[in-house]
Amino acid sequence: MANFETVEVSTDLLIIGGGMSACGAAVEAAYWAKKHGLKVTLVDKAAMDRSGAVAMGLSAINLYIGQAAGDNTVEDYVRYVRQDLMGITREDLVYSIARHVDSTVHLFEKWGLPIWKDENGKYVHEGRWQIMINGESYKIIVAEAAKNALNALGPDNIYERVFIVEPLMDGDRCVGAVGFSVRENKFYVFKAKAVLVGMGGAVHVFRPRSTGEGLGRSWYPPFNTGSSAYFTLKAGAEMTCQEVRFIPVRFKDAYGPVGAWFLLFKSVATNALGEDYMKTHPDVLEQYAPYGLTKPIPANLRNHLGLIDERAGKGPIYMRTEEAIQRLAEEMPDEKQRKKKLKELEAEAWEDFLDMTISQALLWAATNTFPEEKPSEIAACEPYFIGSHSGASGAWVSGPEDIAPAEYQWGYTNMSTVKGLFCAGDASGASSHKFSSGSFTEGRIAAKSAIRFIVENNEEPKVDAAYVEELKARVLKPLDTFEQYKGMTTDPDVNPNYIRPKQFMFRLQKIMDEYAGGVSKSFTTNKYLLERGLELLAMLKEDSEKLAAESLHELMRCWENVHRMWQAEAHIRSVLFREETRWPGYYIRADFPNLDEENWKCFVNCRWDRNTGQWEVFKRPVISIVD
């Protein structure tokens, strides 16, 4: 076995991740831990300053209720999320986040985040729920607050550049995690009384649109690799909405955001003939009543309408940036003010990308694109797994005691069905539209609950030393495999005894693209394709035992791809189980192309049994708490 030092770390609460939910958990956990004399440890595979989905920055905070000003109510937001997810949402979890999110945003502002304000001192809204920010350094500001909170508890509470691979279990309780440093030959064993998972969603499970020289470019960060799903599945947790992937429509090739154009600039998207596809398919929207007939139209149905036009040969789809800018400029009363307004709008258009997707600004510059002069292409991206946006995949977690129905509550808010294992952000399912502020808020909620769990269940974790050594050997095996067989061929990339992580990823993406309804299949699949996909995944899982790593970086890549593979299997099994098409625009079951409210207005949940290795897929009821 590779020569790695074993480092043991004992703590009370272990937070895994460094993104928005983990930072929220760190801030809240530190506050309550200090009152009870507890230790909190955070471990992140990256560096917290630029870790997670907000790493590049944002130009808006997408969830702000405005309760104090009377702008909206929490109930309003629950209805909005329910509508966008076609009726399938855990309203108790959405309500819990929404009632606390404004205080989170106020903390961000207190810590130094520049939020736009009008002449009356009110936040400038991009849309009903979105407020504008100068957010290039958004994540740095939030991470600084999290690090300060943890450092106030004492030294050695933050471990960066450590990749977590597997959960540590004591019977049916999660008591820690194991992983390795991506900088040093060290194997880490974290022992804890409770574990909070905030390791994000999953990218590059499906073959991306950006291949070849564009490989690695995606809308959602490519370093989110399904670790939350893998960790919770391997712990034996019940999962939910694994079929609800998210396919955003973004500016083509550089994945630039479209929200500011639709909401702030009031732009319109059309097909190549200039037709507004949101207005030319009323019959399609009627097929998905009541959701298709209620505003706002769900994101997946908006995708679906554009894709219908593309399949009919009316592509490409354009964002009419030039019309939007000219229209707003023409609202000014004279020529001088119009020119000034035009310059302001041009600057805002570029700043929107520079704040959060610099590559889109580079692409505009490289292709001589002036948004005030001509439209830009937009396109549906490849599928992502992201429970904090318009997707919903994640763990099935307990709801808050004061509002959750009995079927959704089992003791501690945001605890999974595994004792001592808490989830937030993309790790928590069926509570969509959290975005950055809501993920941070859910991290706070989960951390406070986890501290309470520790206080009330203050048992020392019991971990068998032989079990740890077995995990260590398994985690480091790709290094041993490469070292053993690397000399058997002249090219280390071509070897009958092992598979390199990039080759493995390409195989996974090909399976998912061709059998689970990826870009090349226009997001369409059926029973026979899904069953064949499962057969091929089974073979891929066998070959995962022969993954080989030449370095620490490749060792991380090996395990990232194993994590993706488990996310892929949970997805295919859930799509296969749900015999309807509820989210066209995300995927279509060609053999069950219609919405079926009578039989399928329910959650599809799944669980992998740690003892038998068998999967179970089943229904859970949808229960509304808001009229």
Side-chain angles (χ1 to χ4, degrees):
M1 183 169 67
N3 185 21
F4 274 54
E5 175 190 352
T6 298
V7 180
E8 288 197 8
V9 178
S10 294
T11 189
D12 292 304
L13 175 61
L14 176 64
I15 300 170
I16 310 176
M20 292 299 286
S21 64
C23 285
V27 169
E28 193 74 16
Y31 176 85
W32 296 104
K34 187 174 182 179
K35 290 179 178 293
H36 295 283
L38 300 176
K39 182 179 180 181
V40 179
T41 301
L42 183 146
V43 56
D44 183 23
K45 80 171 182 182
M48 290 173 69
D49 282 355
R50 291 290 186 181
S51 183
V54 183
M56 276 201 299
L58 288 178
S59 59
I61 289 174
N62 285 339
L63 172 50
Y64 182 76
I65 304 297
Q67 292 185 74
D71 295 337
N72 299 288
T73 67
V74 171
E75 290 80 5
D76 290 335
Y77 198 72
V78 172
R79 294 185 192 101
Y80 161 66
V81 176
R82 180 175 63 202
Q83 161 70 5
D84 195 66
L85 270 294
M86 306 286 283
I88 309 298
T89 193
R90 279 282 300 275
E91 296 183 16
D92 58 315
L93 297 177
V94 176
Y95 192 104
S96 178
I97 294 165
R99 64 180 169 180
H100 295 299
V101 74
D102 286 5
S103 66
T104 285
V105 175
H106 300 154
L107 280 176
F108 294 164
E109 186 174 28
K110 177 183 175 182
W111 295 333
L113 179 67
I115 302 178
W116 293 16
K117 292 184 178 178
D118 63 18
E119 60 275 10
N120 299 314
K122 294 191 67 176
Y123 292 153
V124 173
H125 279 260
E126 182 182 70
R128 182 177 181 181
W129 313 105
Q130 300 84 3
I131 56 174
M132 299 298 294
I133 62 174
N134 293 111
E136 189 280 332
S137 298
Y138 183 9
K139 185 60 198 336
I140 294 175
I141 291 167
V142 172
E144 181 182 34
K147 289 189 289 187
N148 287 344
L150 291 174
N151 288 332
L153 292 178
D156 303 323
N157 290 324
I158 302 172
Y159 291 80
E160 296 181 323
R161 307 294 183 186
V162 175
F163 182 71
I164 293 298
V165 178
E166 297 274 350
L168 266 183
M169 303 299 295
D170 177 11
D172 63 350
R173 180 175 178 177
C174 186
V175 293
V178 299
F180 58 91
S181 168
V182 297
R183 293 290 188 270
E184 307 171 280
N185 285 3
K186 292 182 178 180
F187 178 77
Y188 280 88
V189 181
F190 294 94
K191 299 177 181 179
K193 296 171 184 174
V195 177
L196 195 155
V197 176
M199 291 183 277
V203 179
H204 287 164
V205 175
F206 282 78
R207 180 188 289 149
R209 282 189 180 275
S210 295
T211 57
E213 77 285 358
L215 183 65
R217 185 73 199 105
S218 58
W219 167 73
Y220 192 52
F223 40 79
N224 278 15
T225 57
S227 295
S228 293
Y230 177 84
F231 193 96
T232 46
L233 278 165
K234 288 300 291 292
E238 184 175 330
M239 309 296 284
T240 191
C241 296
Q242 293 300 301
E243 77 278 28
V244 193
R245 66 212 201 178
F246 177 45
I247 298 176
V249 167
R250 295 294 181 262
F251 282 97
K252 188 173 179 294
D253 296 327
Y255 298 83
V258 298
W261 285 98
F262 280 131
L263 298 172
L264 187 66
F265 294 107
K266 310 300 181 186
S267 183
V268 172
T270 72
N271 61 30
L273 306 181
E275 299 168 340
D276 183 348
Y277 57 82
M278 291 299 298
K279 296 179 179 179
T280 54
H281 299 288
D283 55 323
V284 176
L285 293 176
E286 287 177 9
Q287 293 173 22
Y288 293 94
Y291 315 106
L293 302 179
T294 306
K295 297 295 179 68
I297 302 298
N300 68 283
L301 290 181
R302 300 197 301 270
N303 287 11
H304 185 46
L305 299 182
L307 289 167
I308 288 173
D309 277 10
E310 284 197 335
R311 294 184 193 114
K314 295 182 178 182
I317 304 298
Y318 286 107
M319 179 73 76
R320 295 291 171 175
T321 58
E322 82 290 8
E323 294 178 2
I325 288 177
Q326 292 299 331
R327 185 168 56 252
L328 289 171
E330 287 168 3
E331 293 176 0
M332 296 297 103
D334 59 58
E335 185 64 23
K336 184 178 180 181
Q337 287 180 298
R338 277 195 289 273
K339 288 182 178 180
K340 182 181 177 183
K341 183 66 174 179
L342 191 61
K343 289 293 182 184
E344 289 176 0
L345 292 168
E346 290 171 20
E348 287 176 8
W350 285 93
E351 185 179 337
D352 182 45
F353 294 147
L354 292 171
D355 270 345
M356 61 188 292
T357 315
I358 295 170
S359 57
Q360 185 65 51
L362 292 173
L363 184 64
W364 268 5
T367 54
N368 298 323
T369 298
F370 296 89
E372 70 278 12
E373 294 180 3
K374 67 176 184 178
S376 288
E377 279 187 74
I378 59 175
C381 304
E382 62 277 0
Y384 305 115
F385 297 92
I386 170 172
S388 63
H389 205 287
S390 293
S393 57
W396 184 252
V397 301
S398 180
E401 294 177 7
D402 59 331
I403 55 174
E407 294 91 337
Y408 295 169
Q409 215 286 328
W410 49 88
Y412 296 91
T413 306
N414 276 84
M415 188 171 79
S416 71
T417 56
V418 172
K419 189 177 180 183
L421 180 59
F422 293 78
C423 302
D426 290 326
S428 165
S431 51
S432 313
H433 289 277
K434 293 174 270 205
F435 303 109
S436 60
S437 56
S439 293
F440 187 96
T441 302
E442 190 174 34
R444 293 174 62 193
I445 293 166
K448 182 178 180 180
S449 182
I451 294 294
R452 179 183 153 215
F453 172 87
I454 293 167
V455 171
E456 296 177 358
N457 301 269
N458 198 10
E459 306 167 19
E460 290 297 327
K462 300 179 184 69
V463 180
D464 180 62
Y467 168 48
V468 171
E469 282 302 308
E470 183 182 315
L471 287 173
K472 181 178 181 180
R474 181 167 179 266
V475 168
L476 302 181
K477 183 183 175 184
L479 291 170
D480 298 334
T481 300
F482 182 82
E483 194 62 31
Q484 181 179 355
Y485 295 111
K486 66 180 182 181
M488 296 188 70
T489 57
T490 55
D491 184 347
D493 285 336
V494 182
N495 194 305
N497 299 288
Y498 60 67
I499 182 170
R500 299 295 284 266
K502 182 176 272 190
Q503 296 165 340
F504 186 92
M505 182 181 72
F506 289 156
R507 271 183 62 186
L508 172 65
Q509 291 176 348
K510 179 178 172 64
I511 292 168
M512 296 303 290
D513 181 64
E514 295 179 359
Y515 296 96
V519 170
S520 74
K521 297 297 182 181
S522 196
F523 312 117
T524 302
T525 187
N526 62 37
K527 175 179 183 287
Y528 308 104
L529 286 166
L530 293 165
E531 288 176 343
R532 177 59 176 156
L534 283 175
E535 290 177 12
L536 293 170
L537 273 182
M539 297 179 201
L540 187 66
K541 187 174 285 188
E542 289 178 9
D543 286 347
S544 70
E545 296 298 322
K546 296 182 179 180
L547 275 162
E550 187 176 4
S551 63
L552 287 170
H553 181 76
E554 271 206 329
L555 182 62
M556 179 182 71
R557 293 293 186 230
C558 286
W559 282 108
E560 285 178 338
N561 286 321
V562 172
H563 292 184
R564 287 186 177 106
M565 179 180 65
W566 279 70
Q567 174 66 85
E569 184 169 0
H571 179 60
I572 288 185
R573 290 185 182 278
S574 298
V575 173
L576 182 59
F577 185 81
R578 183 181 283 277
E579 295 182 336
E580 66 160 353
T581 295
R582 182 167 291 266
W583 297 280
Y586 295 168
Y587 74 86
I588 291 174
R589 277 287 300 264
D591 45 350
F592 295 99
N594 300 316
L595 180 70
D596 184 352
E597 286 281 89
E598 182 179 352
N599 296 304
W600 289 103
K601 189 177 181 181
C602 63
F603 294 105
V604 169
N605 287 12
C606 66
R607 191 176 77 87
W608 179 78
D609 191 299
R610 292 178 56 244
N611 299 313
T612 66
Q614 298 300 307
W615 287 82
E616 182 185 8
V617 189
F618 47 91
K619 295 181 179 182
R620 293 287 189 199
V622 170
I623 302 172
S624 288
I625 64 169
V626 172
D627 294 336

